[in-house]
Amino acid sequence: MKGEPDFLQNVRDEVSDARQWLDRAIIIAYAVLAGLAVVVFTLLADAAFGAYQDMRSTAWWSPLIWTPAVTALVVWLVRRWAPGAAGSGVPQVLTALAPETPLDTRGRFVSLKLSFAKILAVSGGLLAGLSIGRQGPSVQVAAGVMLHARRWLSPRSGISDRELLVAGGAAGIAAAFNTPLGGIVFAIEELSRRLMERSSALMLVAIVVAGLVAVSAFGNLSYFGRVRTDGLSWWDLIGPGTVVAVACGLLGGLLARLMLASFTGMPDRFCAYRRKRPVAFAAICGFVVAVIAVISGGAAVGVGHQHTHLLLEQAANDPSAHTPLLFTGLKFIASWLSAWTGIPGGIFGPSLSLGAGVGADIAWLLDSPHGMALIALGMCGFLAAVTQTPITAMIIVMEMTDGHGMVLSLMACALVASGVSRMISRPLYSTMSALMLRSVRPADESEDSRPTEPGPYSRPGTDSAPR
């Protein structure tokens, strides 16, 4: 039949094209480097927070001095030397992917230099004892590493910057959470709405290689162990699960709205002071977070995975040991204030911890015997509400808890929570990215002339974001 592939000719072409094989080797090498970067990031971030915990356990009052001082220092360093490293990291990758972003300005949002700066700055935030995550920043870190491969690829490779960014971002999520499927879905749902066949292959290569690096370092285990669902049916969770989904949607949507308000700036005295004295404002927020750390015994700060493990253990062994509402409320405030400081940090980890708190609270209030399942639903619902990416949230939580028996429940919870959140807040990452795009548009293309909160893309010496 005319047009059928010539197998032998294709094999000869593959074998004879040495440059094509070199390009493939470069991609694999950079995927390994992306995975290693996330592994180093994880180890350094965990060590930094471990050092903070050791200091806090030695002197309970030390965070009241240490946290505001280190927070102010990190914010000053980032604003002075690496403004593109501020924030979560996902909006920066989205901005670099946007067609409106000129090629010569992508380095302001994603680059190898910013990857190194992001690792150090987020680790500094955890050393300060703030409530921030490292998974979202891992997207920017891995994307910056993969984008650097561009300088070594031949023009005939046909691989675009966009494909490298999507592959890097997906590999970052996969390696950070040890969830390969989560990386794939995140790339499709958030980073790239349209994936060509070649893009899909490149993304899969990056995810597999980076994931293997992470598995070699941390093992091939579910991050939060296995949520036991033996004898649990859909009908056992439909009532309590609906309450968890709605509660996560309301709280997650509120947190996203507060973070957007903090990012864009509001006409109030707090944002006015932040515009005028960003470093001093960061120190004040850091002091409040330190007070929360003292009250909660350190449980409400950091990424939050340790406390999530504790909640799951309590739900399995001693549900009565849980103190309802306290952790969730303190973690919520600490996460918002940590983001408001302007320090680099993500919201994925704190969202999972907050969702676990919501699930544990509702299990305690309803005296439900299915506490572990409700905690898993809460993690899924809160992450879906904050990011408004329900499929990604469902896949990540399913892989992190080995919750394959709860697929339908997790999916329903994610959809309900995301739907409720959309009634309260605009999408967090895409809205932040749209605001960042103002910094790369000509002045006459700006859609809004109102002043906004100075962000990492403001010109030095100005109080409003560039247009």
Side-chain angles (χ1 to χ4, degrees):
M1 183 181 296
K2 185 178 180 180
E4 288 293 329
D6 187 336
F7 175 75
L8 294 178
Q9 182 60 42
N10 288 336
V11 170
R12 284 193 292 268
D13 292 341
E14 286 284 334
V15 174
S16 62
D17 192 347
R19 181 64 220 195
Q20 178 176 311
W21 283 98
L22 179 59
D23 288 336
R24 291 171 179 172
I26 291 171
I27 291 297
I28 293 174
Y30 269 89
V32 171
L33 291 176
L36 286 174
V38 174
V39 168
V40 171
F41 185 18
T42 301
L43 295 174
L44 185 60
D46 290 347
F49 188 67
Y52 164 81
Q53 291 283 54
D54 291 340
M55 179 199 66
R56 187 190 58 78
S57 61
T58 302
W60 66 265
W61 48 266
S62 57
L64 300 175
I65 300 173
W66 176 261
T67 300
V70 177
T71 300
L73 176 62
V74 173
V75 169
W76 181 83
L77 289 172
V78 169
R79 291 177 64 89
R80 178 67 177 84
W81 299 106
S88 163
V90 178
Q92 286 88 335
V93 176
L94 289 175
T95 305
L97 284 167
E100 304 94 317
T101 304
L103 294 177
D104 57 350
T105 62
R106 279 180 175 159
R108 295 170 56 185
F109 305 100
V110 179
S111 69
L112 191 61
K113 173 189 171 183
L114 289 179
S115 295
F116 284 116
K118 195 80 168 186
I119 291 173
L120 295 176
V122 174
S123 299
L126 289 170
L127 182 63
L130 297 179
S131 178
I132 56 177
R134 56 171 174 74
Q135 288 87 0
S138 295
V139 174
Q140 188 180 13
V141 168
V145 173
M146 286 299 298
L147 184 62
H148 193 263
R150 160 56 51 210
R151 64 177 57 197
W152 305 110
L153 295 174
S154 68
R156 294 192 299 112
S157 68
I159 299 175
S160 66
D161 289 358
R162 178 181 178 83
E163 291 165 334
L164 291 171
L165 287 168
V166 172
I173 284 290
F177 282 112
N178 196 12
T179 55
L181 289 178
I184 295 172
V185 175
F186 178 76
I188 297 172
E189 192 173 24
E190 185 67 63
L191 297 181
S192 180
R193 308 292 179 176
R194 297 176 302 169
L195 283 176
M196 298 173 60
E197 183 178 354
R198 187 177 61 240
S199 304
S200 302
L202 175 61
M203 180 184 68
L204 288 175
V205 168
I207 288 174
V208 169
V209 174
L212 285 174
V213 173
V215 167
S216 300
F218 304 119
N220 191 22
L221 300 174
S222 300
Y223 198 94
F224 292 116
R226 183 177 182 272
V227 174
R228 295 198 298 267
T229 58
D230 301 334
L232 185 64
S233 69
W234 169 273
W235 300 107
D236 294 326
L237 292 179
I238 190 168
T242 301
V243 177
V244 170
V246 173
C248 287
L250 292 172
L251 286 176
L254 177 60
L255 180 59
R257 184 162 182 167
L258 287 173
M259 293 182 68
L260 283 175
S262 304
F263 183 81
T264 58
M266 299 294 289
D268 58 65
R269 65 180 65 183
F270 298 105
C271 289
Y273 184 76
R274 183 179 187 238
R275 284 191 290 269
K276 188 177 181 180
R277 298 284 187 270
V279 177
F281 182 85
I284 294 172
C285 290
F287 179 79
V288 179
V289 173
V291 173
I292 292 174
V294 172
I295 294 173
S296 66
V301 295
V303 179
H305 290 338
Q306 291 179 344
H307 193 75
T308 301
H309 277 288
L310 177 61
L311 291 175
L312 287 168
E313 291 176 4
Q314 288 179 346
N317 302 316
D318 187 12
S320 62
H322 176 65
T323 303
L325 306 180
L326 178 64
F327 167 77
T328 306
L330 293 177
K331 184 69 174 178
F332 185 96
I333 298 171
S335 300
W336 171 42
L337 291 178
S338 297
W340 208 1
T341 63
I343 209 166
I347 196 62
F348 274 84
S351 294
L352 292 172
S353 182
L354 277 164
V358 172
D361 291 342
I362 291 175
W364 186 90
L365 292 172
L366 299 181
D367 194 23
S368 172
H370 308 300
M372 291 187 71
L374 292 180
I375 288 173
L377 290 178
M379 294 164 63
C380 177
F382 208 101
L383 183 59
V386 172
T387 63
Q388 293 187 14
T389 53
I391 304 177
T392 298
M394 183 269 293
I395 293 293
I396 286 177
V397 173
M398 183 187 70
E399 290 191 277
M400 294 184 77
T401 61
D402 195 14
H404 298 84
M406 295 181 59
V407 171
L408 292 178
S409 300
L410 292 171
M411 190 179 302
C413 183
L415 290 173
V416 171
S418 179
V420 173
S421 174
R422 291 175 189 275
M423 301 178 187
I424 300 173
S425 173
R426 291 173 291 171
L428 180 64
Y429 292 142
S430 59
T431 302
M432 286 185 173
S433 175
L435 293 169
M436 290 179 184
L437 279 172
R438 295 179 179 180
S439 65
V440 298
R441 291 177 181 170
D444 57 354
E445 292 183 9
S446 177
E447 299 175 359
D448 193 346
S449 61
R450 293 175 297 177
T452 61
E453 183 75 6
Y457 311 101
S458 301
R459 295 175 184 173
T462 64
D463 288 337
S464 60
R467 299 294 169 222

